Structures are given as structure tokens and as C-alpha cells.
């Protein structure tokens, strides 16, 4: 139940804020070049158990991908499901997924020189949603889906800020708004910094990352929260 806020200036210039929700008992590694042989030049946030990535970046190709979970519309037994951890890595290598897929549902946010889009797999259909210029949010439903309480609550606030490309310090402005959102209880369904256990999932917000992808280059930074689901220690 991760969350991404993305501002698209044009096809070649994108800025985003991504919050990762995961089981705190599942070990992970901070941003680094964890796949030097299979994906040379790629950096990302690695899941130690499966070896894949939640967020991956190829600075030379100016490609970035973020993986978010999505509900299945039909049942797929866990013992038959292939890990989704390779999706972001394959994406920044220029290999987007093609359906049908033996995987649980996902939203895969892709950013590259040709633009930004979301690939959505629900267990039955793989859909592509181009992301137009402007500010958008995505979580476990569709892009800008007002059915998702955190999108309905916070997307208007992010859109009320100046476009990221026009801001002298968009990271500080977006992070300040994220901090304001964290004043909600992490168990509140409107919260971006989340504790999903009351909703039947073991995941909690563990970190956030900010990134910009532009013709001048790629900048990505990750920040671990002081404790799961909490902005402050």
C-alpha cells in the first residue's frame, strides 16, 4: 500500500516523492548498486529476501521505476506466484512487463525519456495509463483515484503547491506537506505515513524517497523513518 506523488513537467522532466510500506520484519537495503553483474549501473532499494527492488534507477538511461502493490481480481495461490521484485529492475533496463503475468497485482510506475506511465496488473488484465503534465498520486488503485482516501485528501494539497519545476526547493515543500500528513494517526485511512495492520496487512511505512529525472541528469535520495509508521522518533 505504498504511495507516490509525481509531478510531470513534460516528457523529459519528472519529480516524485515515494513512500514505501513493507513488513518491518522483512529486511531491506538502502539505495545502492546492489546488482552490478545483472544490472550494471543500476541503483535501487533492495529487498533482501527476494533480491529484487522496490525502487530502481538507471541514471545513464534516465529511467526510474517504483513498484506498488495492487489487489487481485482473481485468486492466485502464493505458491504459484512469481516474485514481483524484478519488475522495477527490468523496467529501468528497458524491458517492461507484458501480460499475462503469473504474479499478484501491482502498479508499476515507469519514468523515462519518452515520458511517465503506470502499468497496472490486477491478475486478469495489464493496462497502461500515460501520466499527463501536472501533479498526480497513485497508491493501490488507479492513478488519481479519489476512491483512495489518502489521494482524495492530499492530492488537492500537493496540487496547490507551485509546480515542482518552478519551485526553488520543491523537495522541502513536498516533504513539509508529507510531515503535515503524518500528524494523522498512521492507522487513519487518509494517512500517507501508514500502519496498515488494522486493514489486514502487516505493512507499515518504512522510508520515503525523492527523485528528479531530467535531461540534465537524475537525482534520487532515500530517507529511513525513525521507526515504522512514524515521522518522529
Amino acid at each position: 500500500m505504498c504511495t507516490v506523488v509525481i509531478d510531470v513537467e513534460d516528457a523529459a522532466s519528472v519529480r516524485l516523492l515515494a513512500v514505501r510500506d513493507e513488513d518491518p520484519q522483512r529486511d531491506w537495503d538502502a539505495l545502492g548498486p546492489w546488482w552490478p553483474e545483472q544490472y550494471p549501473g543500476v541503483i535501487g532499494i533492495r529487498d533482501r529476501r527476494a533480491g529484487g527492488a522496490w525502487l530502481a534507477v538507471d541514471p545513464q538511461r534516465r529511467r526510474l521505476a517504483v513498484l506498488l502493490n495492487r489487489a487481485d481480481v482473481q485468486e492466485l495461490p502464493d505458491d504459484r506466484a512469481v516474485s514481483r521484485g524484478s519488475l522495477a529492475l527490468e523496467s529501468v533496463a528497458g524491458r517492461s512487463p507484458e501480460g499475462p503475468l503469473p504474479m499478484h497485482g501491482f502498479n508499476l510506475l515507469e519514468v523515462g525519456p519518452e515520458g511517465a506511465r503506470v502499468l497496472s496488473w490486477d491478475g486478469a488484465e495489464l493496462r497502461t495509463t500515460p501520466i499527463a503534465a501536472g501533479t498526480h498520486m497513485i497508491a493501490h488503485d488507479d492513478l488519481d483515484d479519489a476512491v483512495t482516501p489518502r489521494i482524495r485528501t492530499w492530492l488537492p494539497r500537493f496540487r496547490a503547491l507551485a509546480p515542482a519545476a518552478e519551485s526553488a526547493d520543491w523537495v522541502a515543500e513536498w516533504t513539509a506537506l508529507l510531515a503535515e500528513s503524518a500528524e494523522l494517526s498512521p492507522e487513519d485511512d487518509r494517512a500517507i505515513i501508514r500502519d496498515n495492520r488494522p486493514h489486514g496487512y502487516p505493512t507499515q511505512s518504512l522510508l520515503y524517497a525523492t527523485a528528479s529525472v531530467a535531461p540534465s541528469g537524475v537525482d534520487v535520495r532515500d530517507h529511513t523513518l525513525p521507526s515504522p509508521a512514524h515521522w518522529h522518533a
Side-chain angles (χ1 to χ4, degrees):
M1 299 179 72
C2 305
T3 308
V4 174
V5 185
I6 182 169
D7 185 86
V8 177
E9 180 184 6
D10 52 42
S13 184
V14 171
R15 293 157 180 83
L16 65 85
L17 166 70
V19 177
R20 187 189 186 200
D21 296 351
E22 183 53 271
D23 185 343
Q25 302 304 311
R26 186 161 181 150
D27 292 336
W28 54 279
D29 292 305
L31 193 70
W34 302 111
W35 310 269
E37 295 182 3
Q38 190 172 3
Y39 301 101
V42 171
I43 59 174
I45 296 172
R46 180 175 67 169
D47 173 67
R48 290 184 188 172
R49 183 185 302 175
W54 165 69
L55 176 150
V57 184
D58 187 325
Q60 185 172 1
R61 289 188 172 100
R62 301 204 316 274
R63 292 191 176 279
L64 178 148
V66 184
L67 178 65
L68 305 91
N69 290 347
R70 186 184 179 102
D72 296 327
V73 297
Q74 58 188 24
E75 187 175 349
L76 176 65
D78 288 341
D79 60 359
R80 291 174 50 200
V82 174
S83 171
R84 294 165 289 192
S86 65
L87 290 168
L89 293 166
E90 287 290 293
S91 171
V92 298
R95 297 182 290 270
S96 299
E98 298 180 357
L101 295 157
M103 297 176 175
H104 290 304
F106 62 80
N107 286 323
L108 180 65
L109 173 67
E110 296 187 320
V111 176
E114 67 279 2
R117 65 180 186 172
V118 178
L119 300 180
S120 300
W121 170 249
D122 61 8
E125 180 185 14
L126 183 66
R127 295 184 291 110
T128 301
T129 304
I131 304 179
T135 304
H136 307 270
M137 285 182 73
I138 189 163
H140 55 280
D141 292 311
D142 291 339
L143 184 71
D144 299 337
D145 198 332
V147 171
T148 309
R150 79 195 91 147
I151 293 179
R152 184 171 62 249
T153 302
W154 295 103
L155 180 56
R157 296 291 307 281
F158 278 100
R159 284 179 168 169
L161 298 174
E166 300 175 9
S167 171
D169 194 351
W170 70 273
V171 171
E173 293 174 0
W174 283 28
T175 303
L177 190 52
L178 181 61
E180 181 184 335
S181 79
E183 295 175 9
L184 290 169
S185 164
E187 299 180 355
D188 191 316
D189 214 19
R190 298 169 297 169
I192 301 175
I193 303 298
R194 305 185 56 77
D195 183 343
N196 295 306
R197 291 175 294 180
H199 304 286
Y201 304 94
T203 56
Q204 301 175 64
S205 296
L206 303 181
L207 64 95
Y208 70 93
T210 58
S212 62
V213 181
S216 58
V218 176
D219 180 74
V220 58
R221 307 186 184 200
D222 60 329
H223 311 267
T224 303
L225 296 179
S227 62
H230 289 85
W231 186 257
H232 301 290

